[in-house]
Amino acid sequence: MLYFVRVINQQLSTVIRAIPRLLCCCLFSLPLTAQKKNEAYQLHIRRANSPVKIDGVIDEAAWQAADTATNFYMILPMDTSYAQVRTDVRMTYDAQNLYLLVENYNKLPGPYMVESLRRDFSFLKNDNFLLFMDPFDDQTNGFSFGANAAGAQWDGLMYEGGKVDLSWDNKWTSVVKNYPDKWVFEAAIPFKSIRYKKGINTWGINFGRNDLKTTEKSSWAPVPRQFPSASLAYTGVLVWDVPPPDPGPNVSIIPYLLGGINKNYETGTKSDFRRNAGVDAKVAVTSSLNLDLTVNPDFSQVDVDKQVTNLDRFELFYPEKRQFFIENGDQFTNFGYSTIRPFFSRRIGLGVPIRFGARLSGKLNRNWRLGLMNMQTAKDEELGLPAQNFTVAALQRRVFARSNIGFLFINKESLNYDPDKVTDKPVYSRYNRNLGLEYNLASANNFWTGKAILLKSASPGKSGHDWAQAANLNYTSRSWNINWQHEYVGRNYNAEVGYVPRQGYIKLAPQITRLFFPSTGVILSHGPQVTSTTFFNEDMRRTDNETMLSYAFVFRKRNTLTAYASNTYIRLLAPFDPTNTGKDSLATGSQHNWNTVGLDYVSKPQSLFTYSLSGRYGGYYADGKRLTLGSELGYRFQPYVSIALSSSYNDIRLPQPWGHTAFWLVGPRLDVTMTNTLFFTGFMQYNEQLKNMNLNTRFQWRYRPASDLFIVYTDNYLPEPFYVKNRALVVKLVYWLNL
C-alpha cells in the first residue's frame, strides 16, 4: 500500500498540469442566471383563522385549514424513491409569529433515539426534524429551526448555501409531544427573531427528517445524496398569501449582572471578587438589517475549548464561541480559507476586556449584504498592552446563479501608543490593516463550488511580499469528488487580527474521491480517496509534502470504517522540538521522511453506547517512531443523562536527547438535562503534555426564552503533585427584553 502511495505521488504532477484547463472550461460553462431546482415543490401558507397554542395538540381550526407538505423523498440510504417514514408539515402565521406543525410518524416499533434534551444536538445521533428557511430566496443565507424527538431545540444561522452555525441563539418557543404512532413538533418563531426582505411573498424552504430506527434521512423537496439536506440550492418554495407582516419596531435589550470570586494559589494573592454588569442591544434597522450593540460584554458562560495534543509546528485553531461575534459573522470569519483567515474574532479581547462594540449586519436587498463592526478594548498597564480599536467592513454582491463577490477591510489600531518609547515591555505594532477581495463560486445545482481570494496587508516596517492569493475548485457528483486548491502567502503578509499560522509559502493540494454504491448488502457506499499536499518556499523549493491514500466504507447502519496510508516529507524552516516539551530542537534545514498507516472506526449512532476508535503507527522525525491511539466513548440514559469520554495517547520514540516520550489527554464529560430548560455540564481535561488538569462545571436555567441564569465553576490543578493552581466561581443572570 505504501508503494502505491509513492506511485500516486509521482503521477499527480500529470493531474496538476491538467487542472488549469479544467478550471477555464468550468468557469466559462457556468449559468449566468439562477434557476431554482425544486421550484415545483410549493407549500402555500395562509394567515391563521384561529389562535394557535403551542402544546403539540392538533385541535386548532388554523391547523385544519392549513396546507400540508407530505410525500418526503429519501436522501439516504438511496435518493431514488419516496421516504419510507411519513412526515406531514403544516405552516401558518399571525401578526407576531410564524407557526410550524410537524407530524413525524413511526414505521418501526421501539423507543426514539436521542442524545439528551440539550440544545443544538448532533444531527446524526438523534431522531429529529429540521426546518431550513431561505427568507431572501437567494439560495445562500437563511435560518434553521428544529427539535429532536425528546423536545431539545435546534436553531442556527445558515451560510454558504448549506452550512449551519449552531452558536446562534434566539427567542422562540416549541413543544414536542409523543403519541403511540408519531411524535409531534409544534413551534412559534417570532418574526422579530429572524431577518427577511419586506414585501416579497416567496421564500425558499425545505424540511429534513432523520429517523435512526430505519436509518433513513429524508426531505420534502428532493436533495441528491451527496449534499446535506440543508442545501439551499434544493429548497422548495413557501408561497405567502400576502407578503409576511412587518414586524414593526424591533428592539431587544439584553442586560446581565455578574458576581464571582477567583483565587490564584500559585501566586498566593488574595481572592479577587468580581462585580460586573453590562448590556447588549439588538435594533432592527430594517426587517433584514440589524444593529448589535454591546457595552462591557462578558463571556464567562461560554463552553471551554476542547484541548488537543499539540505536536504541530504551527499555531492551533480554536473556533469562536462568543455569541456577539456569531450572527452574520460568516461575512467576516469565512473570508478566506481555514489557514488563511484575514479576520479571526478571537483576536479581539485576547487577555483584556472589551469595553464596547457595535455591528451592523444583514441584507440590503436580494443581491447585497453588508457587515460593519467596531470594537474597543481596554489597555493593560502591567503588560504594556495599549487600548486597541478594531474595525471590520464587509460588502458582498450576489452574481450569476448562486455565487458572490466579497470585499473585506480590517483595521487594528493601537491608541495613544508610541512603540519607540517602549523599553521594558513587549512592543506592539501601531496599526495593522488588511484589504481583501473574494469570489465564491456556487453553481445552480451545487455540483461546482469554489473560491478565489486576494489579500494585501499593511504594517509598519513590513513592505514587499505582503500579499496572499489562493483559489480552489471543487466538483461533487454522486460518484466523484474532485478538488484543486493552491495558496500563496508572502513572507511579509501580516494578519494580526486573523489566523494565518504560516507565511512565505506556495501550496498545491489536489484531492480525488471515487464512491461506489452496492445495491444490496450491509455496505451503503465505499471508495478510495487520494490527496497530496505540497508546500514550497517562495523560490519554489519543496519544503513539505504529505501524500495519502485512504479507503472508506459507510455501512447501512451509518457506522464507518476508514483505512489509510501516507508518506510525509518535511524540511524544517526553523528549529523544532518534535515532542513540544522543551527537551531540544531539530536543526533548521534538516530533512525528514516517514510512512504512516492508520485506521478509524465510528460506531452506529442508534446504540445507547456509541464509540469511535482511531489508531496510527509509523515513522516520525529523526528516524523515530510514533504511535497514536484515540477514542470517543459515549453512553446515554436518554433523554436525561449523557456520559462521554474522549482520550488520546501518544507514544514517541526518538534518539537522544528526547528518548521515549509518552503522554495522555483524557476528557470525561457529563451532561445532565433535567428538562429542555435546565442543564448541567461537567467537563474535566487531563493534559499530560501541559501538566495540567482542568475542571469546568456549568449550570444553566433558561427561565424564559433566551433568558438564563448561569453558575460556572472552574478549577485548574497541577496533577503531580496534586496541587490547586487556581479556581473561580461565577454567577451570571441574563434577561432578554423585547421593547
Side-chain angles (χ1 to χ4, degrees):
M1 194 172 189
L2 292 173
Y3 170 77
F4 185 60
V5 170
R6 287 193 292 268
V7 173
I8 290 293
N9 190 25
Q10 296 168 1
Q11 297 300 319
L12 276 172
S13 59
T14 303
V15 177
I16 291 171
R17 287 194 295 269
I19 289 292
R21 294 193 298 272
L22 179 63
L23 283 167
C24 293
C25 293
C26 297
L27 289 173
F28 284 107
S29 64
L30 292 172
L32 299 180
T33 58
Q35 296 181 357
K36 201 169 184 62
K37 301 298 293 183
N38 287 329
E39 196 165 2
Y41 296 86
Q42 298 190 354
L43 175 63
H44 291 260
I45 181 172
R46 292 180 289 275
R47 192 181 184 99
N49 59 9
S50 72
V52 176
K53 182 180 179 182
I54 305 302
D55 56 6
V57 179
I58 313 171
D59 57 358
E60 293 93 343
W63 290 132
Q64 308 307 320
D67 288 3
T68 302
T70 188
N71 294 327
F72 277 41
Y73 285 84
M74 190 186 299
I75 302 175
L76 291 175
M78 297 300 293
D79 58 1
T80 55
S81 67
Y82 284 109
Q84 298 179 46
V85 291
R86 176 183 165 190
T87 310
D88 292 346
V89 183
R90 285 174 261 190
M91 299 184 73
T92 187
Y93 71 96
D94 59 22
Q96 289 78 38
N97 298 306
L98 176 65
Y99 296 102
L100 175 71
L101 179 76
V102 187
E103 297 174 87
N104 300 278
Y105 287 89
N106 302 328
K107 178 175 175 61
L108 298 177
Y112 299 114
M113 299 174 187
V114 296
E115 286 180 295
S116 67
L117 295 168
R118 187 166 185 81
R119 193 184 190 91
D120 296 331
F121 47 83
S122 170
F123 172 80
L124 292 175
K125 296 181 179 180
N126 290 262
D127 287 321
N128 64 74
F129 172 90
L130 301 180
L131 158 69
F132 305 110
M133 188 164 53
D134 177 8
F136 281 87
D137 202 23
D138 65 0
Q139 305 172 59
T140 305
N141 303 100
F143 301 88
S144 181
F145 296 89
N148 69 11
Q153 290 184 332
W154 156 300
D155 56 2
L157 286 175
M158 301 190 67
Y159 65 98
E160 292 186 2
K163 299 177 182 177
V164 181
D165 188 340
L166 294 175
S167 301
W168 181 74
D169 196 5
N170 219 303
K171 194 171 183 178
W172 61 291
T173 58
S174 67
V175 166
V176 165
K177 189 174 180 63
N178 287 283
Y179 296 87
D181 62 333
K182 63 187 177 183
W183 59 278
V184 172
F185 167 49
E186 191 171 19
I189 303 169
F191 287 109
K192 292 177 182 289
S193 295
I194 57 177
R195 310 282 173 259
Y196 54 93
K197 181 61 179 175
K198 183 179 178 182
I200 65 172
N201 63 352
T202 58
W203 291 6
I205 202 158
N206 208 353
F207 313 110
R209 169 111 181 253
N210 191 42
D211 186 78
L212 286 176
K213 282 181 285 188
T214 61
T215 68
E216 180 180 89
K217 183 172 76 167
S218 59
S219 63
W220 168 58
V223 178
R225 59 175 299 152
Q226 67 266 31
F227 301 125
S229 50
S231 178
L232 295 181
Y234 290 91
T235 57
V237 183
L238 182 67
V239 182
W240 297 78
D241 54 351
V242 295
D246 187 342
N250 187 357
V251 178
S252 299
I253 305 296
I254 313 166
Y256 79 85
L257 294 173
L258 180 146
I261 180 174
N262 60 72
K263 170 76 172 177
N264 191 324
Y265 290 86
E266 288 187 303
T267 60
T269 55
K270 292 182 179 180
S271 298
D272 180 22
F273 292 90
R274 296 180 61 191
R275 304 173 188 85
N276 211 348
V279 63
D280 290 350
K282 291 180 174 291
V283 181
V285 179
T286 69
S287 62
S288 57
L289 193 63
N290 200 65
L291 175 65
D292 290 273
L293 305 170
T294 186
V295 177
N296 199 29
D298 171 84
F299 307 105
S300 56
Q301 81 279 9
V302 172
D303 273 338
V304 297
D305 290 318
K306 185 176 179 180
Q307 298 179 26
V308 296
T309 300
N310 184 10
L311 292 172
D312 198 85
R313 293 175 291 153
F314 304 101
E315 177 191 13
L316 299 179
F317 177 82
Y318 292 96
E320 176 64 87
K321 298 181 180 180
R322 296 173 295 179
Q323 182 68 27
F324 181 82
F325 295 98
I326 299 301
E327 185 170 1
N328 284 319
D330 65 286
Q331 275 192 279
F332 307 129
T333 59
N334 294 326
F335 201 101
Y337 289 92
S338 61
T339 55
I340 309 178
R341 299 174 187 262
F343 178 74
F344 179 36
S345 57
R346 284 186 65 140
R347 303 293 191 204
I348 302 176
L350 187 65
V352 294
I354 297 173
R355 291 304 185 206
F356 55 84
R359 183 186 64 226
L360 180 68
S361 61
K363 284 273 194 177
L364 299 176
N365 54 40
R366 189 170 185 260
N367 293 323
W368 288 95
R369 289 181 76 203
L370 173 70
L372 297 171
M373 183 165 63
N374 186 270
M375 306 295 294
Q376 179 67 48
T377 62
K379 65 180 179 180
D380 189 313
E381 296 285 1
E382 184 177 341
L383 295 176
L385 178 64
Q388 294 180 322
N389 183 266
F390 300 82
T391 300
V392 189
L395 187 64
Q396 193 178 88
R397 163 70 177 177
R398 179 172 176 262
V399 295
F400 302 135
R402 298 172 53 243
S403 306
N404 62 71
I405 296 175
F407 166 84
L408 186 70
F409 173 73
I410 305 161
N411 182 56
K412 172 189 174 184
E413 197 87 24
S414 297
L415 305 179
N416 302 315
Y417 178 70
D418 187 352
D420 295 333
K421 295 181 180 180
V422 177
T423 56
D424 60 339
K425 290 183 173 65
V427 176
Y428 298 92
S429 63
R430 216 164 24 87
Y431 67 86
N432 174 249
R433 299 182 183 116
N434 264 256
L435 194 66
L437 192 65
E438 177 177 86
Y439 172 65
N440 288 287
L441 164 69
S443 65
N445 61 8
N446 217 39
F447 277 52
W448 292 98
T449 57
K451 175 182 290 193
I453 63 169
L454 182 64
L455 302 167
K456 177 75 165 61
S457 68
S459 302
K462 289 182 178 289
S463 61
H465 299 273
D466 55 358
W467 60 285
Q469 187 274 330
N472 84 292
L473 182 66
N474 188 78
Y475 172 75
T476 304
S477 69
R478 182 176 298 182
S479 300
W480 289 95
N481 183 282
I482 303 173
N483 184 72
W484 164 264
Q485 182 167 329
H486 72 264
E487 302 173 4
Y488 164 73
V489 177
R491 59 179 176 270
N492 287 326
Y493 175 71
N494 185 23
E496 293 182 12
V497 198
Y499 175 76
V500 186
R502 185 169 181 166
Q503 288 84 28
Y505 74 87
I506 297 167
K507 174 183 173 182
L508 303 179
Q511 175 179 296
I512 301 175
T513 306
R514 174 70 163 98
L515 289 178
F516 302 93
F517 300 95
S519 57
T520 59
V522 298
I523 296 177
L524 178 62
S525 67
H526 63 92
Q529 180 182 87
V530 179
T531 64
S532 182
T533 303
T534 306
F535 288 86
F536 304 87
N537 63 18
E538 290 180 284
D539 297 324
M540 285 305 294
R541 182 180 179 185
R542 189 178 69 151
T543 61
D544 304 68
N545 173 262
E546 182 178 63
T547 300
M548 179 181 294
L549 169 66
S550 63
Y551 206 98
F553 299 87
V554 178
F555 299 90
R556 293 190 183 272
K557 292 292 186 180
R558 298 197 188 172
N559 45 327
T560 62
L561 175 67
T562 305
Y564 63 88
S566 66
N567 173 262
T568 301
Y569 165 80
I570 291 176
R571 182 170 63 85
L572 290 176
L573 304 176
F576 175 63
D577 174 8
T579 65
N580 270 346
T581 57
K583 287 183 179 180
D584 201 353
S585 294
L586 296 166
T588 300
S590 59
Q591 300 184 55
H592 309 270
N593 188 275
W594 65 84
N595 298 317
T596 303
V597 294
L599 196 68
D600 297 331
Y601 179 77
V602 180
S603 69
K604 61 183 182 181
Q606 297 92 329
S607 303
L608 295 178
F609 174 65
T610 58
Y611 59 93
S612 65
L613 304 172
S614 64
R616 55 169 286 178
Y617 179 75
Y620 199 50
Y621 293 91
D623 295 323
K625 296 293 182 183
R626 178 184 171 191
L627 169 68
T628 301
L629 302 174
S631 68
E632 295 272 354
L633 311 178
Y635 191 86
R636 59 183 187 264
F637 302 89
Q638 60 181 34
Y640 302 111
V641 179
S642 175
I643 303 171
L645 175 65
S646 62
S647 63
S648 69
Y649 172 73
N650 276 271
D651 186 287
I652 300 173
R653 297 176 186 269
L654 293 165
Q656 293 300 327
W658 299 278
H660 180 208
T661 304
F663 33 77
W664 283 92
L665 175 61
V666 182
R669 182 184 181 104
L670 172 68
D671 280 295
V672 181
T673 54
M674 291 149 272
T675 69
N676 61 0
T677 59
L678 206 59
F679 315 106
F680 172 82
T681 299
F683 188 28
M684 178 176 282
Q685 298 183 91
Y686 168 67
N687 192 326
E688 195 171 9
Q689 186 184 34
L690 297 179
K691 296 181 173 58
N692 185 71
M693 185 160 60
N694 169 262
L695 172 66
N696 180 272
T697 64
R698 184 181 64 178
F699 172 83
Q700 178 185 0
W701 173 33
R702 176 145 290 190
Y703 58 92
R704 56 174 293 167
S707 300
D708 299 282
L709 171 68
F710 296 98
I711 302 175
V712 182
Y713 175 76
T714 60
D715 247 341
N716 278 288
Y717 299 93
L718 188 69
E720 295 179 7
F722 189 76
Y723 177 78
V724 179
K725 297 165 69 175
N726 53 72
R727 60 175 44 143
L729 176 68
V730 170
V731 179
K732 181 178 179 181
L733 183 68
V734 181
Y735 183 78
W736 186 302
L737 174 65
N738 284 338
L739 301 181

